[in-house]
Structures are given as C-alpha cells and as structure tokens.
PDB file of all heavy atoms in Angstrom:
ATOM      1  N   ARG A  41     125.293 133.936 177.130  1.00 78.00           N
ATOM      2  CA  ARG A  41     125.077 134.291 175.749  1.00 78.00           C
ATOM      3  C   ARG A  41     125.465 133.136 174.817  1.00 78.00           C
ATOM      4  O   ARG A  41     124.779 132.850 173.860  1.00 78.00           O
ATOM      5  CB  ARG A  41     125.858 135.541 175.393  1.00 78.00           C
ATOM      6  CG  ARG A  41     125.534 136.029 173.992  1.00 78.00           C
ATOM      7  CD  ARG A  41     126.240 137.313 173.672  1.00 78.00           C
ATOM      8  NE  ARG A  41     127.520 136.934 173.067  1.00 78.00           N
ATOM      9  CZ  ARG A  41     128.539 137.759 172.867  1.00 78.00           C
ATOM     10  NH1 ARG A  41     128.419 138.999 173.215  1.00 78.00           N
ATOM     11  NH2 ARG A  41     129.628 137.341 172.322  1.00 78.00           N
ATOM     12  N   GLY A  42     126.563 132.468 175.165  1.00 79.00           N
ATOM     13  CA  GLY A  42     126.993 131.323 174.367  1.00 79.00           C
ATOM     14  C   GLY A  42     125.981 130.209 174.350  1.00 79.00           C
ATOM     15  O   GLY A  42     125.626 129.688 173.305  1.00 79.00           O
ATOM     16  N   PHE A  43     125.447 129.870 175.515  1.00 79.00           N
ATOM     17  CA  PHE A  43     124.417 128.816 175.568  1.00 79.00           C
ATOM     18  C   PHE A  43     123.128 129.265 174.887  1.00 79.00           C
ATOM     19  O   PHE A  43     122.453 128.454 174.217  1.00 79.00           O
ATOM     20  CB  PHE A  43     124.099 128.389 177.003  1.00 79.00           C
ATOM     21  CG  PHE A  43     125.062 127.335 177.492  1.00 79.00           C
ATOM     22  CD1 PHE A  43     125.958 127.572 178.480  1.00 79.00           C
ATOM     23  CD2 PHE A  43     125.042 126.044 176.909  1.00 79.00           C
ATOM     24  CE1 PHE A  43     126.822 126.601 178.924  1.00 79.00           C
ATOM     25  CE2 PHE A  43     125.906 125.066 177.344  1.00 79.00           C
ATOM     26  CZ  PHE A  43     126.810 125.337 178.359  1.00 79.00           C
ATOM     27  N   LYS A  44     122.825 130.550 174.999  1.00 81.00           N
ATOM     28  CA  LYS A  44     121.622 131.055 174.340  1.00 81.00           C
ATOM     29  C   LYS A  44     121.746 130.864 172.820  1.00 81.00           C
ATOM     30  O   LYS A  44     120.805 130.404 172.142  1.00 81.00           O
ATOM     31  CB  LYS A  44     121.409 132.526 174.641  1.00 81.00           C
ATOM     32  CG  LYS A  44     120.181 133.119 173.970  1.00 81.00           C
ATOM     33  CD  LYS A  44     120.043 134.590 174.270  1.00 81.00           C
ATOM     34  CE  LYS A  44     118.845 135.135 173.510  1.00 81.00           C
ATOM     35  NZ  LYS A  44     118.972 136.499 173.148  1.00 81.00           N
ATOM     36  N   GLU A  45     122.910 131.191 172.274  1.00 82.00           N
ATOM     37  CA  GLU A  45     123.107 131.041 170.830  1.00 82.00           C
ATOM     38  C   GLU A  45     123.086 129.565 170.423  1.00 82.00           C
ATOM     39  O   GLU A  45     122.560 129.223 169.394  1.00 82.00           O
ATOM     40  CB  GLU A  45     124.380 131.742 170.402  1.00 82.00           C
ATOM     41  CG  GLU A  45     124.275 133.235 170.529  1.00 82.00           C
ATOM     42  CD  GLU A  45     125.519 133.965 170.048  1.00 82.00           C
ATOM     43  OE1 GLU A  45     126.366 133.345 169.392  1.00 82.00           O
ATOM     44  OE2 GLU A  45     125.644 135.158 170.328  1.00 82.00           O
ATOM     45  N   LEU A  46     123.701 128.716 171.267  1.00 83.00           N
ATOM     46  CA  LEU A  46     123.675 127.278 170.946  1.00 83.00           C
ATOM     47  C   LEU A  46     122.238 126.733 170.993  1.00 83.00           C
ATOM     48  O   LEU A  46     121.857 125.930 170.160  1.00 83.00           O
ATOM     49  CB  LEU A  46     124.555 126.507 171.927  1.00 83.00           C
ATOM     50  CG  LEU A  46     126.063 126.690 171.771  1.00 83.00           C
ATOM     51  CD1 LEU A  46     126.795 126.033 172.920  1.00 83.00           C
ATOM     52  CD2 LEU A  46     126.527 126.120 170.436  1.00 83.00           C
ATOM     53  N   ARG A  47     121.458 127.183 171.971  1.00 83.00           N
ATOM     54  CA  ARG A  47     120.054 126.741 172.057  1.00 83.00           C
ATOM     55  C   ARG A  47     119.262 127.204 170.845  1.00 83.00           C
ATOM     56  O   ARG A  47     118.480 126.425 170.311  1.00 83.00           O
ATOM     57  CB  ARG A  47     119.397 127.301 173.345  1.00 83.00           C
ATOM     58  CG  ARG A  47     119.789 126.558 174.590  1.00 83.00           C
ATOM     59  CD  ARG A  47     118.896 126.936 175.777  1.00 83.00           C
ATOM     60  NE  ARG A  47     118.636 128.347 175.936  1.00 83.00           N
ATOM     61  CZ  ARG A  47     119.342 129.165 176.696  1.00 83.00           C
ATOM     62  NH1 ARG A  47     120.363 128.724 177.387  1.00 83.00           N
ATOM     63  NH2 ARG A  47     119.024 130.460 176.771  1.00 83.00           N
ATOM     64  N   GLU A  48     119.454 128.452 170.412  1.00 83.00           N
ATOM     65  CA  GLU A  48     118.731 128.953 169.265  1.00 83.00           C
ATOM     66  C   GLU A  48     119.016 128.147 167.996  1.00 83.00           C
ATOM     67  O   GLU A  48     118.153 128.034 167.135  1.00 83.00           O
ATOM     68  CB  GLU A  48     119.051 130.429 169.045  1.00 83.00           C
ATOM     69  CG  GLU A  48     118.472 131.337 170.110  1.00 83.00           C
ATOM     70  CD  GLU A  48     118.904 132.765 169.982  1.00 83.00           C
ATOM     71  OE1 GLU A  48     119.755 133.080 169.113  1.00 83.00           O
ATOM     72  OE2 GLU A  48     118.434 133.591 170.774  1.00 83.00           O
ATOM     73  N   CYS A  49     120.218 127.618 167.904  1.00 83.00           N
ATOM     74  CA  CYS A  49     120.572 126.814 166.711  1.00 83.00           C
ATOM     75  C   CYS A  49     120.269 125.331 166.884  1.00 83.00           C
ATOM     76  O   CYS A  49     120.468 124.554 165.968  1.00 83.00           O
ATOM     77  CB  CYS A  49     122.073 126.967 166.408  1.00 83.00           C
ATOM     78  SG  CYS A  49     122.518 128.611 165.848  1.00 83.00           S
ATOM     79  N   GLY A  50     119.823 124.919 168.066  1.00 83.00           N
ATOM     80  CA  GLY A  50     119.523 123.510 168.313  1.00 83.00           C
ATOM     81  C   GLY A  50     120.728 122.702 168.696  1.00 83.00           C
ATOM     82  O   GLY A  50     120.702 121.472 168.613  1.00 83.00           O
ATOM     83  N   LEU A  51     121.833 123.380 169.080  1.00 84.00           N
ATOM     84  CA  LEU A  51     123.044 122.667 169.449  1.00 84.00           C
ATOM     85  C   LEU A  51     123.180 122.456 170.950  1.00 84.00           C
ATOM     86  O   LEU A  51     124.139 121.829 171.403  1.00 84.00           O
ATOM     87  CB  LEU A  51     124.279 123.411 168.914  1.00 84.00           C
ATOM     88  CG  LEU A  51     124.401 123.425 167.392  1.00 84.00           C
ATOM     89  CD1 LEU A  51     125.557 124.340 166.975  1.00 84.00           C
ATOM     90  CD2 LEU A  51     124.624 122.017 166.882  1.00 84.00           C
ATOM     91  N   ALA A  52     122.245 122.976 171.733  1.00 85.00           N
ATOM     92  CA  ALA A  52     122.206 122.748 173.203  1.00 85.00           C
ATOM     93  C   ALA A  52     120.795 122.940 173.631  1.00 85.00           C
ATOM     94  O   ALA A  52     120.009 123.626 173.014  1.00 85.00           O
ATOM     95  CB  ALA A  52     123.129 123.739 173.914  1.00 85.00           C
ATOM     96  N   TRP A  53     120.439 122.302 174.768  1.00 84.00           N
ATOM     97  CA  TRP A  53     119.106 122.462 175.330  1.00 84.00           C
ATOM     98  C   TRP A  53     119.196 122.233 176.836  1.00 84.00           C
ATOM     99  O   TRP A  53     120.096 121.589 177.321  1.00 84.00           O
ATOM    100  CB  TRP A  53     118.095 121.515 174.687  1.00 84.00           C
ATOM    101  CG  TRP A  53     118.489 120.067 174.689  1.00 84.00           C
ATOM    102  CD1 TRP A  53     118.157 119.154 175.629  1.00 84.00           C
ATOM    103  CD2 TRP A  53     119.271 119.388 173.714  1.00 84.00           C
ATOM    104  NE1 TRP A  53     118.685 117.938 175.306  1.00 84.00           N
ATOM    105  CE2 TRP A  53     119.384 118.058 174.093  1.00 84.00           C
ATOM    106  CE3 TRP A  53     119.881 119.796 172.554  1.00 84.00           C
ATOM    107  CZ2 TRP A  53     120.095 117.110 173.374  1.00 84.00           C
ATOM    108  CZ3 TRP A  53     120.572 118.833 171.822  1.00 84.00           C
ATOM    109  CH2 TRP A  53     120.677 117.513 172.231  1.00 84.00           C
ATOM    110  N   GLY A  54     118.267 122.837 177.542  1.00 81.00           N
ATOM    111  CA  GLY A  54     118.243 122.710 178.974  1.00 81.00           C
ATOM    112  C   GLY A  54     117.719 121.363 179.423  1.00 81.00           C
ATOM    113  O   GLY A  54     116.717 120.884 178.892  1.00 81.00           O
ATOM    114  N   LEU A  55     118.347 120.785 180.429  1.00 82.00           N
ATOM    115  CA  LEU A  55     117.866 119.550 181.033  1.00 82.00           C
ATOM    116  C   LEU A  55     117.083 119.871 182.300  1.00 82.00           C
ATOM    117  O   LEU A  55     116.001 119.352 182.523  1.00 82.00           O
ATOM    118  CB  LEU A  55     119.043 118.650 181.369  1.00 82.00           C
ATOM    119  CG  LEU A  55     119.842 118.141 180.185  1.00 82.00           C
ATOM    120  CD1 LEU A  55     121.060 117.370 180.669  1.00 82.00           C
ATOM    121  CD2 LEU A  55     119.004 117.292 179.273  1.00 82.00           C
ATOM    122  N   GLU A  56     117.641 120.728 183.123  1.00 80.00           N
ATOM    123  CA  GLU A  56     117.015 121.226 184.343  1.00 80.00           C
ATOM    124  C   GLU A  56     117.734 122.499 184.702  1.00 80.00           C
ATOM    125  O   GLU A  56     118.673 122.889 184.002  1.00 80.00           O
ATOM    126  CB  GLU A  56     117.085 120.186 185.484  1.00 80.00           C
ATOM    127  CG  GLU A  56     118.505 119.767 185.830  1.00 80.00           C
ATOM    128  CD  GLU A  56     118.542 118.626 186.835  1.00 80.00           C
ATOM    129  OE1 GLU A  56     117.851 117.652 186.661  1.00 80.00           O
ATOM    130  OE2 GLU A  56     119.315 118.765 187.790  1.00 80.00           O
ATOM    131  N   ASP A  57     117.342 123.165 185.737  1.00 80.00           N
ATOM    132  CA  ASP A  57     117.910 124.443 186.089  1.00 80.00           C
ATOM    133  C   ASP A  57     119.442 124.385 186.212  1.00 80.00           C
ATOM    134  O   ASP A  57     119.962 123.656 187.046  1.00 80.00           O
ATOM    135  CB  ASP A  57     117.304 124.951 187.400  1.00 80.00           C
ATOM    136  CG  ASP A  57     117.625 126.400 187.645  1.00 80.00           C
ATOM    137  OD1 ASP A  57     117.764 127.167 186.679  1.00 80.00           O
ATOM    138  OD2 ASP A  57     117.751 126.799 188.832  1.00 80.00           O
ATOM    139  N   GLY A  58     120.124 125.087 185.333  1.00 78.00           N
ATOM    140  CA  GLY A  58     121.582 125.140 185.367  1.00 78.00           C
ATOM    141  C   GLY A  58     122.316 124.000 184.683  1.00 78.00           C
ATOM    142  O   GLY A  58     123.544 123.959 184.682  1.00 78.00           O
ATOM    143  N   ARG A  59     121.589 123.036 184.131  1.00 81.00           N
ATOM    144  CA  ARG A  59     122.226 121.891 183.429  1.00 81.00           C
ATOM    145  C   ARG A  59     121.764 121.905 181.994  1.00 81.00           C
ATOM    146  O   ARG A  59     120.599 122.032 181.697  1.00 81.00           O
ATOM    147  CB  ARG A  59     121.822 120.579 184.075  1.00 81.00           C
ATOM    148  CG  ARG A  59     122.475 120.368 185.415  1.00 81.00           C
ATOM    149  CD  ARG A  59     122.226 118.970 185.954  1.00 81.00           C
ATOM    150  NE  ARG A  59     122.778 117.992 185.065  1.00 81.00           N
ATOM    151  CZ  ARG A  59     122.182 116.837 184.777  1.00 81.00           C
ATOM    152  NH1 ARG A  59     121.032 116.527 185.302  1.00 81.00           N
ATOM    153  NH2 ARG A  59     122.720 115.984 183.935  1.00 81.00           N
ATOM    154  N   TYR A  60     122.757 121.731 181.090  1.00 81.00           N
ATOM    155  CA  TYR A  60     122.470 121.733 179.670  1.00 81.00           C
ATOM    156  C   TYR A  60     123.050 120.494 179.004  1.00 81.00           C
ATOM    157  O   TYR A  60     124.031 119.918 179.514  1.00 81.00           O
ATOM    158  CB  TYR A  60     123.080 122.959 178.992  1.00 81.00           C
ATOM    159  CG  TYR A  60     122.470 124.252 179.467  1.00 81.00           C
ATOM    160  CD1 TYR A  60     122.997 124.939 180.533  1.00 81.00           C
ATOM    161  CD2 TYR A  60     121.356 124.775 178.845  1.00 81.00           C
ATOM    162  CE1 TYR A  60     122.431 126.114 180.987  1.00 81.00           C
ATOM    163  CE2 TYR A  60     120.768 125.953 179.287  1.00 81.00           C
ATOM    164  CZ  TYR A  60     121.314 126.620 180.328  1.00 81.00           C
ATOM    165  OH  TYR A  60     120.741 127.762 180.755  1.00 81.00           O
ATOM    166  N   GLN A  61     122.482 120.108 177.891  1.00 83.00           N
ATOM    167  CA  GLN A  61     123.020 119.024 177.082  1.00 83.00           C
ATOM    168  C   GLN A  61     123.481 119.644 175.777  1.00 83.00           C
ATOM    169  O   GLN A  61     122.726 120.355 175.124  1.00 83.00           O
ATOM    170  CB  GLN A  61     121.941 117.965 176.797  1.00 83.00           C
ATOM    171  CG  GLN A  61     122.348 116.906 175.783  1.00 83.00           C
ATOM    172  CD  GLN A  61     123.467 116.033 176.274  1.00 83.00           C
ATOM    173  OE1 GLN A  61     123.352 115.437 177.340  1.00 83.00           O
ATOM    174  NE2 GLN A  61     124.534 115.911 175.525  1.00 83.00           N
ATOM    175  N   LEU A  62     124.730 119.354 175.367  1.00 84.00           N
ATOM    176  CA  LEU A  62     125.205 119.753 174.075  1.00 84.00           C
ATOM    177  C   LEU A  62     124.768 118.703 173.057  1.00 84.00           C
ATOM    178  O   LEU A  62     124.652 117.519 173.380  1.00 84.00           O
ATOM    179  CB  LEU A  62     126.706 119.916 174.077  1.00 84.00           C
ATOM    180  CG  LEU A  62     127.268 121.043 174.953  1.00 84.00           C
ATOM    181  CD1 LEU A  62     128.784 121.008 174.951  1.00 84.00           C
ATOM    182  CD2 LEU A  62     126.771 122.389 174.483  1.00 84.00           C
ATOM    183  N   HIS A  63     124.611 119.137 171.811  1.00 84.00           N
ATOM    184  CA  HIS A  63     124.204 118.212 170.748  1.00 84.00           C
ATOM    185  C   HIS A  63     125.250 117.090 170.619  1.00 84.00           C
ATOM    186  O   HIS A  63     126.452 117.331 170.777  1.00 84.00           O
ATOM    187  CB  HIS A  63     124.101 118.985 169.434  1.00 84.00           C
ATOM    188  CG  HIS A  63     123.369 118.237 168.375  1.00 84.00           C
ATOM    189  ND1 HIS A  63     123.925 117.230 167.672  1.00 84.00           N
ATOM    190  CD2 HIS A  63     122.087 118.356 167.937  1.00 84.00           C
ATOM    191  CE1 HIS A  63     123.047 116.739 166.806  1.00 84.00           C
ATOM    192  NE2 HIS A  63     121.926 117.412 166.961  1.00 84.00           N
ATOM    193  N   PRO A  64     124.823 115.853 170.351  1.00 84.00           N
ATOM    194  CA  PRO A  64     125.747 114.741 170.234  1.00 84.00           C
ATOM    195  C   PRO A  64     126.849 114.970 169.182  1.00 84.00           C
ATOM    196  O   PRO A  64     127.942 114.401 169.300  1.00 84.00           O
ATOM    197  CB  PRO A  64     124.876 113.560 169.839  1.00 84.00           C
ATOM    198  CG  PRO A  64     123.535 113.907 170.372  1.00 84.00           C
ATOM    199  CD  PRO A  64     123.439 115.405 170.289  1.00 84.00           C
ATOM    200  N   LEU A  65     126.626 115.802 168.188  1.00 81.00           N
ATOM    201  CA  LEU A  65     127.671 116.116 167.226  1.00 81.00           C
ATOM    202  C   LEU A  65     128.799 116.871 167.853  1.00 81.00           C
ATOM    203  O   LEU A  65     129.947 116.847 167.383  1.00 81.00           O
ATOM    204  CB  LEU A  65     127.076 116.929 166.048  1.00 81.00           C
ATOM    205  CG  LEU A  65     126.141 116.193 165.126  1.00 81.00           C
ATOM    206  CD1 LEU A  65     125.536 117.146 164.103  1.00 81.00           C
ATOM    207  CD2 LEU A  65     126.866 115.053 164.405  1.00 81.00           C
ATOM    208  N   LEU A  66     128.554 117.556 168.942  1.00 81.00           N
ATOM    209  CA  LEU A  66     129.574 118.301 169.664  1.00 81.00           C
ATOM    210  C   LEU A  66     130.210 117.510 170.770  1.00 81.00           C
ATOM    211  O   LEU A  66     131.275 117.911 171.285  1.00 81.00           O
ATOM    212  CB  LEU A  66     128.985 119.594 170.261  1.00 81.00           C
ATOM    213  CG  LEU A  66     128.334 120.572 169.283  1.00 81.00           C
ATOM    214  CD1 LEU A  66     127.684 121.719 170.030  1.00 81.00           C
ATOM    215  CD2 LEU A  66     129.372 121.100 168.293  1.00 81.00           C
ATOM    216  N   THR A  67     129.605 116.417 171.170  1.00 83.00           N
ATOM    217  CA  THR A  67     130.119 115.631 172.321  1.00 83.00           C
ATOM    218  C   THR A  67     130.636 114.250 171.926  1.00 83.00           C
ATOM    219  O   THR A  67     130.813 113.401 172.783  1.00 83.00           O
ATOM    220  CB  THR A  67     129.029 115.458 173.363  1.00 83.00           C
ATOM    221  OG1 THR A  67     127.944 114.701 172.808  1.00 83.00           O
ATOM    222  CG2 THR A  67     128.523 116.790 173.885  1.00 83.00           C
ATOM    223  N   GLY A  68     130.806 114.026 170.628  1.00 82.00           N
ATOM    224  CA  GLY A  68     131.285 112.709 170.178  1.00 82.00           C
ATOM    225  C   GLY A  68     130.221 111.643 170.376  1.00 82.00           C
ATOM    226  O   GLY A  68     130.516 110.464 170.562  1.00 82.00           O
ATOM    227  N   GLY A  69     128.956 112.027 170.371  1.00 80.00           N
ATOM    228  CA  GLY A  69     127.847 111.075 170.509  1.00 80.00           C
ATOM    229  C   GLY A  69     127.333 110.904 171.912  1.00 80.00           C
ATOM    230  O   GLY A  69     126.336 110.210 172.135  1.00 80.00           O
ATOM    231  N   ALA A  70     127.997 111.494 172.912  1.00 80.00           N
ATOM    232  CA  ALA A  70     127.579 111.316 174.301  1.00 80.00           C
ATOM    233  C   ALA A  70     126.348 112.171 174.594  1.00 80.00           C
ATOM    234  O   ALA A  70     126.273 113.321 174.213  1.00 80.00           O
ATOM    235  CB  ALA A  70     128.704 111.701 175.232  1.00 80.00           C
ATOM    236  N   VAL A  71     125.354 111.575 175.257  1.00 78.00           N
ATOM    237  CA  VAL A  71     124.162 112.273 175.707  1.00 78.00           C
ATOM    238  C   VAL A  71     123.887 111.879 177.145  1.00 78.00           C
ATOM    239  O   VAL A  71     124.294 110.839 177.604  1.00 78.00           O
ATOM    240  CB  VAL A  71     122.903 111.978 174.837  1.00 78.00           C
ATOM    241  CG1 VAL A  71     123.069 112.557 173.463  1.00 78.00           C
ATOM    242  CG2 VAL A  71     122.610 110.524 174.777  1.00 78.00           C
ATOM    243  N   SER A  72     123.150 112.728 177.854  1.00 77.00           N
ATOM    244  CA  SER A  72     122.851 112.452 179.251  1.00 77.00           C
ATOM    245  C   SER A  72     121.835 111.326 179.421  1.00 77.00           C
ATOM    246  O   SER A  72     121.815 110.625 180.408  1.00 77.00           O
ATOM    247  CB  SER A  72     122.382 113.699 179.981  1.00 77.00           C
ATOM    248  OG  SER A  72     121.172 114.117 179.425  1.00 77.00           O
ATOM    249  N   SER A  73     120.966 111.162 178.418  1.00 71.00           N
ATOM    250  CA  SER A  73     119.977 110.116 178.444  1.00 71.00           C
ATOM    251  C   SER A  73     119.745 109.589 177.038  1.00 71.00           C
ATOM    252  O   SER A  73     119.417 110.370 176.146  1.00 71.00           O
ATOM    253  CB  SER A  73     118.645 110.685 178.994  1.00 71.00           C
ATOM    254  OG  SER A  73     117.640 109.730 178.866  1.00 71.00           O
ATOM    255  N   PRO A  74     119.937 108.318 176.780  1.00 69.00           N
ATOM    256  CA  PRO A  74     119.806 107.794 175.437  1.00 69.00           C
ATOM    257  C   PRO A  74     118.373 107.837 174.869  1.00 69.00           C
ATOM    258  O   PRO A  74     118.190 107.652 173.683  1.00 69.00           O
ATOM    259  CB  PRO A  74     120.305 106.357 175.534  1.00 69.00           C
ATOM    260  CG  PRO A  74     120.193 106.023 176.980  1.00 69.00           C
ATOM    261  CD  PRO A  74     120.304 107.294 177.749  1.00 69.00           C
ATOM    262  N   VAL A  75     117.401 108.086 175.691  1.00 65.00           N
ATOM    263  CA  VAL A  75     116.014 108.105 175.203  1.00 65.00           C
ATOM    264  C   VAL A  75     115.509 109.498 174.899  1.00 65.00           C
ATOM    265  O   VAL A  75     114.403 109.689 174.426  1.00 65.00           O
ATOM    266  CB  VAL A  75     115.032 107.419 176.209  1.00 65.00           C
ATOM    267  CG1 VAL A  75     115.371 105.957 176.353  1.00 65.00           C
ATOM    268  CG2 VAL A  75     115.068 108.132 177.534  1.00 65.00           C
ATOM    269  N   MET A  76     116.323 110.506 175.159  1.00 67.00           N
ATOM    270  CA  MET A  76     115.903 111.881 174.913  1.00 67.00           C
ATOM    271  C   MET A  76     115.965 112.216 173.415  1.00 67.00           C
ATOM    272  O   MET A  76     116.849 111.745 172.714  1.00 67.00           O
ATOM    273  CB  MET A  76     116.729 112.869 175.710  1.00 67.00           C
ATOM    274  CG  MET A  76     118.157 112.955 175.309  1.00 67.00           C
ATOM    275  SD  MET A  76     119.210 113.927 176.424  1.00 67.00           S
ATOM    276  CE  MET A  76     118.329 115.427 176.474  1.00 67.00           C
ATOM    277  N   PRO A  77     115.011 112.979 172.929  1.00 71.00           N
ATOM    278  CA  PRO A  77     115.035 113.366 171.502  1.00 71.00           C
ATOM    279  C   PRO A  77     116.127 114.384 171.250  1.00 71.00           C
ATOM    280  O   PRO A  77     116.379 115.259 172.070  1.00 71.00           O
ATOM    281  CB  PRO A  77     113.648 113.955 171.266  1.00 71.00           C
ATOM    282  CG  PRO A  77     113.215 114.445 172.609  1.00 71.00           C
ATOM    283  CD  PRO A  77     113.819 113.492 173.618  1.00 71.00           C
ATOM    284  N   VAL A  78     116.775 114.258 170.100  1.00 72.00           N
ATOM    285  CA  VAL A  78     117.804 115.215 169.707  1.00 72.00           C
ATOM    286  C   VAL A  78     117.165 116.241 168.762  1.00 72.00           C
ATOM    287  O   VAL A  78     116.606 115.853 167.763  1.00 72.00           O
ATOM    288  CB  VAL A  78     118.979 114.492 169.018  1.00 72.00           C
ATOM    289  CG1 VAL A  78     120.002 115.477 168.507  1.00 72.00           C
ATOM    290  CG2 VAL A  78     119.630 113.521 169.997  1.00 72.00           C
ATOM    291  N   PRO A  79     117.209 117.505 169.098  1.00 73.00           N
ATOM    292  CA  PRO A  79     116.558 118.499 168.244  1.00 73.00           C
ATOM    293  C   PRO A  79     117.260 118.689 166.901  1.00 73.00           C
ATOM    294  O   PRO A  79     118.437 118.400 166.768  1.00 73.00           O
ATOM    295  CB  PRO A  79     116.597 119.781 169.077  1.00 73.00           C
ATOM    296  CG  PRO A  79     117.763 119.599 169.971  1.00 73.00           C
ATOM    297  CD  PRO A  79     117.859 118.117 170.241  1.00 73.00           C
ATOM    298  N   GLU A  80     116.516 119.218 165.962  1.00 79.00           N
ATOM    299  CA  GLU A  80     117.066 119.526 164.649  1.00 79.00           C
ATOM    300  C   GLU A  80     117.990 120.742 164.795  1.00 79.00           C
ATOM    301  O   GLU A  80     117.711 121.677 165.533  1.00 79.00           O
ATOM    302  CB  GLU A  80     115.914 119.881 163.702  1.00 79.00           C
ATOM    303  CG  GLU A  80     116.317 120.336 162.357  1.00 79.00           C
ATOM    304  CD  GLU A  80     115.143 120.737 161.506  1.00 79.00           C
ATOM    305  OE1 GLU A  80     113.993 120.412 161.826  1.00 79.00           O
ATOM    306  OE2 GLU A  80     115.388 121.370 160.472  1.00 79.00           O
ATOM    307  N   ILE A  81     119.104 120.716 164.062  1.00 79.00           N
ATOM    308  CA  ILE A  81     120.031 121.830 164.057  1.00 79.00           C
ATOM    309  C   ILE A  81     119.498 122.872 163.056  1.00 79.00           C
ATOM    310  O   ILE A  81     119.174 122.539 161.934  1.00 79.00           O
ATOM    311  CB  ILE A  81     121.448 121.379 163.667  1.00 79.00           C
ATOM    312  CG1 ILE A  81     121.997 120.388 164.684  1.00 79.00           C
ATOM    313  CG2 ILE A  81     122.388 122.591 163.512  1.00 79.00           C
ATOM    314  CD1 ILE A  81     123.321 119.776 164.311  1.00 79.00           C
ATOM    315  N   LYS A  82     119.428 124.101 163.507  1.00 79.00           N
ATOM    316  CA  LYS A  82     118.921 125.191 162.686  1.00 79.00           C
ATOM    317  C   LYS A  82     120.104 126.046 162.225  1.00 79.00           C
ATOM    318  O   LYS A  82     121.045 126.236 162.926  1.00 79.00           O
ATOM    319  CB  LYS A  82     117.944 126.043 163.480  1.00 79.00           C
ATOM    320  CG  LYS A  82     116.784 125.272 163.998  1.00 79.00           C
ATOM    321  CD  LYS A  82     115.971 126.138 164.981  1.00 79.00           C
ATOM    322  CE  LYS A  82     115.041 125.257 165.757  1.00 79.00           C
ATOM    323  NZ  LYS A  82     115.350 125.193 167.166  1.00 79.00           N
ATOM    324  N   ALA A  83     119.996 126.565 161.029  1.00 76.00           N
ATOM    325  CA  ALA A  83     121.027 127.436 160.487  1.00 76.00           C
ATOM    326  C   ALA A  83     120.999 128.789 161.185  1.00 76.00           C
ATOM    327  O   ALA A  83     119.935 129.317 161.475  1.00 76.00           O
ATOM    328  CB  ALA A  83     120.847 127.627 158.984  1.00 76.00           C
TER     329      ALA A  83
END
C-alpha cells in the first residue's frame, strides 16, 4: 500500500518485478540509473 501511494504521487516507480526506485528527492539524489527519466511529482 505504501509503494502504491508513492507510485500514484510520482515518488516511486517500478524498475522490474519486486524492485522499485524512490524519487531522487527521497534518496539524496541517488538513482539506480542516471539515464532514467524522473517522473513529475503529483499532489
């Protein structure tokens, strides 16, 4: 449920089955791949 809510707001997204990326604002700028697009955060 937590990841679902984060995904709906654009603060997390799925990378592959069972792996998620948190928005760089939540990870201090760290991302799994520097070429991946960062989604817009929704209210």
Side-chain angles (χ1 to χ4, degrees):
R41 186 177 90 192
F43 274 113
K44 179 182 178 210
E45 291 183 14
L46 289 172
R47 283 192 315 267
E48 289 173 357
C49 292
L51 292 173
W53 53 93
L55 297 174
E56 58 187 48
D57 193 32
R59 289 189 59 221
Y60 295 92
Q61 171 66 54
L62 295 175
H63 196 282
L65 290 174
L66 301 175
T67 63
V71 292
S72 64
S73 173
V75 296
M76 66 189 306
V78 175
E80 176 183 345
I81 297 173
K82 302 170 195 114

